[in-house]
Amino acid sequence: MPVTVTETRTPEQLRQHYEVERELADRLRRASKEQRRTLYSEVYDELFKRVPQHPQHTNEASPERLAADVAEKMEIVAPFLKPQTVFLEVGPGDCEFAKAVAAKVAQVLAVDVSDEITRKRVLPENLKVVLSDGSTIPVPPGSVNVAYSNQLMEHLHPDDAVEQLRHLHAALAPGGVYLCITPSRLTGPHDISGVFDREATGFHLKEYTVGDLSALFREVGFSKVCIVFGGRGKFTLLPTWPAVACEKLLDLLPHGLRKAIALKPPFRWLFGVRLAGFKK
């Protein structure tokens, strides 16, 4: 999360946020698997208490911005939805997107580590919140047609990310697809450490390239992995190998030049990590 034109915090406030988040992220990185089952929610709660100027407290999105965010997500997901679809979202947040999908499909499963955000919200009858420990996907095997996550994978401990991928693959029915959107390491860091470091050291416990993540998809059993390429409402599926080859070349460039190139369209549509993994 590099400084943007909308950033209103002082350098001292940014530094304080960075130091607290890095301390808590290191705690997560060092924790055992058993400790991480409860630690994810604990460190985020502590961050918001110790950093009163955190954007989570101060940024209040307008209804128009929230609607635009849902519409942007729907552009990518809608081609995979059918009236009989069972849709699963990992890390649904306020469930606004899950609610929009629920109007188009048979059932929506919203998998999260807490139901605190959604507890007081009115949800449609075909939307069910399913609680997880952060890596498991507690739904019946083979019961899901379309799985989806956005800005989630980077927040998981790398070991938990692989385990979650295995569980997602198991949850999918034959022919099912997992759509995964996560920020690219080539244009990062994308957390608060982007102000100070060249590699993610905050709550983005690992940022990925197309090559990194597509290899993990295949490792856990996805038979086909594609890039969701495009923008402005027009998308197509492409093989991953052109992006992987170009990523290797970009990685040889100095950090600033690499980032500048990778952020420009159409390169950002190629290198932005938006993958579709298909189960045979």
Side-chain angles (χ1 to χ4, degrees):
M1 120 179 191
V3 176
T4 67
V5 293
T6 59
E7 180 61 72
T8 59
R9 290 178 291 175
T10 66
E12 292 75 21
Q13 289 170 334
L14 289 169
R15 169 63 70 173
Q16 191 254 349
H17 177 175
Y18 165 72
E19 290 178 350
V20 171
E21 185 165 320
R22 182 165 181 173
E23 171 200 327
L24 297 173
D26 285 344
R27 192 186 303 175
L28 263 177
R29 289 185 176 94
R30 293 192 300 264
S32 68
K33 178 172 180 54
E34 189 60 35
Q35 290 170 327
R36 293 196 302 272
R37 291 184 185 279
T38 58
L39 195 55
Y40 283 110
S41 57
E42 291 175 11
V43 294
Y44 278 93
D45 287 346
E46 185 172 340
L47 175 71
F48 298 142
K49 289 176 183 175
R50 292 173 61 185
V51 183
Q53 298 84 19
H54 193 285
Q56 182 88 357
H57 296 305
T58 58
N59 288 359
E60 190 169 336
S62 66
E64 293 77 16
R65 178 59 251 176
L66 290 173
D69 181 62
V70 168
E72 185 177 325
K73 293 175 180 177
M74 191 64 77
E75 286 179 345
I76 291 177
V77 172
F80 298 92
L81 303 180
K82 298 177 181 178
Q84 67 270 28
T85 293
V86 175
F87 178 86
L88 183 149
E89 181 176 8
V90 192
D94 58 10
C95 278
E96 287 303 307
F97 180 59
K99 285 165 63 177
V101 174
K104 299 176 179 290
V105 303
Q107 185 179 18
V108 172
L109 303 169
V111 178
D112 212 336
V113 295
S114 170
D115 63 354
E116 190 64 34
I117 296 177
T118 56
R119 189 173 294 167
K120 296 181 180 180
R121 294 177 182 265
V122 178
L123 301 178
E125 289 186 2
N126 65 335
L127 195 164
K128 179 183 178 183
V129 176
V130 180
L131 295 181
S132 164
D133 61 11
S135 57
T136 59
I137 304 294
V139 302
S143 62
V144 173
N145 305 112
V146 179
Y148 171 80
S149 70
N150 192 328
Q151 313 301 309
L152 171 80
M153 186 68 70
E154 68 276 12
H155 292 275
L156 297 175
H157 188 285
D159 292 345
D160 295 337
V162 175
E163 182 178 355
Q164 186 181 89
L165 269 178
R166 293 189 192 281
H167 286 292
L168 280 165
H169 183 268
L172 287 172
V177 60
Y178 171 39
L179 301 168
C180 178
I181 301 173
T182 185
S184 171
R185 176 177 62 78
L186 296 176
T187 55
H190 294 271
D191 60 11
I192 185 63
S193 63
V195 181
F196 303 96
D197 300 325
R198 292 192 172 186
E199 297 290 337
T201 56
F203 275 166
H204 283 196
L205 300 186
K206 181 176 175 63
E207 292 183 345
Y208 297 85
T209 62
V210 170
D212 295 333
L213 202 53
S214 60
L216 288 182
F217 271 54
R218 293 186 177 93
E219 178 185 321
V220 303
F222 285 95
S223 59
K224 179 181 177 183
V225 185
C226 299
I227 296 170
V228 182
F229 177 82
R232 303 187 182 97
K234 297 180 180 180
F235 298 94
T236 188
L237 297 178
L238 295 180
T240 58
W241 67 263
V244 174
C246 291
E247 282 176 342
K248 290 178 180 178
L249 293 176
L250 271 183
D251 241 350
L252 300 175
L253 299 177
H255 178 267
L257 179 59
R258 178 187 77 198
K259 189 170 179 177
I261 293 173
L263 281 172
K264 293 182 182 296
F267 298 111
R268 63 186 173 91
W269 299 336
L270 187 65
F271 302 130
V273 185
R274 300 183 300 194
L275 294 187
F278 295 86
K279 182 174 181 177
K280 190 172 182 180

